[in-house]
Amino acid sequence: MPAYKSGMEELLRHHAQMFSALDALAQLTSAPVCDEKAVMAVRYRLTRASSARRRQVTALCEQLLVGECSDPAVLALRDATNLSRAASSSHIGTWTLQQVAADWPGYVRASARMQATLRRELAREVATLSPHLCGTM
């Protein structure tokens, strides 16, 4: 079970990185004008942390599903994680840095929705995985 322990610890590190980037993005999007350089840097940090987090969630779900876990929430989380990747890619593709700068108010609204979605995903991951993994820590 040490792999579960280190896997959950790694997931929580990714979550911390994401919360930091989400907080920074929330601060940036509260400004009346776009700071392109700062937005680009924070989005890059957030994308990297989110990608690593999704890989970790998928790996943890697979470990649990291959093991003795029969919790349908774990399977649903794995599937939702894959769908989330597509939604995130669509958001990033729609809101290129050029589009962000051209329609800052529109991006602020879209970013707020995406930030809320990501925060819900992080909470769901902990709520779903912790009962199965934290007991092994």
Side-chain angles (χ1 to χ4, degrees):
M1 296 282 184
Y4 287 154
K5 178 181 178 183
S6 64
M8 190 65 183
E9 288 171 352
E10 184 176 340
L11 178 60
L12 295 176
R13 279 193 298 275
H14 296 314
H15 280 196
Q17 292 168 346
M18 286 191 65
F19 281 124
S20 174
L22 286 167
D23 291 346
L25 188 56
Q27 184 174 1
L28 288 169
T29 55
S30 69
V33 294
C34 176
D35 179 340
E36 290 181 48
K37 196 176 237 183
V39 169
M40 181 175 65
V42 170
R43 282 177 46 147
Y44 177 76
R45 280 181 35 218
L46 184 56
T47 298
R48 286 184 52 93
S50 187
S51 294
R53 170 201 128 236
R54 284 191 183 104
R55 283 190 302 274
Q56 188 64 25
V57 167
T58 300
L60 289 170
C61 288
E62 292 296 334
Q63 287 175 359
L64 289 169
L65 293 168
V66 167
E68 297 178 12
C69 180
S70 61
D71 184 353
V74 173
L75 178 60
L77 177 61
R78 185 199 62 193
D79 294 345
T81 299
N82 292 329
L83 293 173
S84 170
R85 181 179 301 125
S88 181
S89 294
S90 175
H91 173 82
I92 292 167
T94 298
W95 291 102
T96 63
L97 189 56
Q98 184 178 21
Q99 186 60 32
V100 168
D103 183 9
W104 181 243
Y107 175 72
V108 167
R109 288 187 300 276
S111 178
R113 287 188 300 272
M114 181 55 74
Q115 290 173 54
T117 296
L118 288 171
R119 288 180 188 277
R120 282 191 304 273
E121 287 178 10
L122 298 177
R124 179 184 184 188
E125 291 164 7
V126 170
T128 301
L129 295 172
S130 290
H132 301 288
L133 301 176
C134 289
T136 63
M137 295 173 75

